Amino acid sequence: DPSPVLAILLRKSAWKRYTQALLANRHGGMLGGIRTAVLRCVSRLLHGCGSLLHRLAALCTPRLNDHVRPVLCFGDSITEGYHNIWPHKTIAPQRTLPANVNSHEHAALLCHPYSIRLGSLLADDVGDGAGGYKDSLRYARARAYSGWTAEELLPVLRRSLREGPWRCAVIMAGCNDILWRNASAATTLTHLEALYAACDEAGVPVVALSNTEADLGEFFSGEQLAERTAALREVAAGVLQMRSKRAVADVRAALPLGAQHFDDALHPSPAGSDRIAEAVFQAIKLHGL
């Protein structure tokens, strides 16, 4: 029961206000100087006791508060929940792109990050989900940058990590490296390792996500299609091989390509994002994060 500790803290706060008032009203002379020196010593002593009491109060706080630290969901457009833009011959045949794609993207883009469902699952897991979406945001938050490569994401991740404390960081990236920069699987995995290492340096546990499937025939053909499809598969396999040293969620297996879970050739639908959240939640629970 932290009540005795809180009572001590209140008394300490009253003493601190009293000493500050005396210091504010001190006058000259030897007696005033002695009084000032004594009160400053008392003030420093109380400040030191306060730090100790704050630490003691933290120890008395239920462990449940450790899990109120939000999960950082970090990555590119898949983490962002990007959807409602691109047509697809079978998944979204009803869509068409106007001549000015950039303006259309700004006006029509919808986002359903998996962090929404993940936050809800984490809140419900500790009986704290009665507040709905507001509570979800207390347990998981997205920091996502559509179109960015893993290499470009590194400095932004470092800044995001400083926003903590975080319960853990869920990282999904690398697709843009392969699709739009023609990076090899080995290079992309090196960039992903740099993201994980930044989390290690910040003392934040990592949940590494494999990339999802993609119908790259919408963008490439021939040799390019074969090379990029193979590279995506190799990156997913490389992430899964990290299971011996990291928490990993196999999103690729949880999210088969098709209209049930995808909005276009690459991006999950809101239902697909929710499936990602469930896979992440299971990984967090499995590894005790």
Side-chain angles (χ1 to χ4, degrees), residues 174-182 216 219-220 228 232 266:
C175 287
N176 293 312
D177 304 61
I178 290 170
L179 298 186
W180 315 125
R181 297 294 178 86
N182 197 23
L216 300 189
F219 314 110
F220 307 104
R228 284 169 169 78
L232 277 181
L266 180 64

Side-chain angles (χ1 to χ4, degrees), residues 207-239:
V207 179
L209 304 189
S210 62
N211 56 53
T212 60
E213 288 189 82
D215 181 8
L216 300 189
E218 289 286 301
F219 314 110
F220 307 104
S221 61
E223 188 174 322
Q224 281 189 333
L225 172 60
E227 288 176 352
R228 284 169 169 78
T229 299
L232 277 181
R233 193 180 302 114
E234 288 177 35
V235 169
V239 171

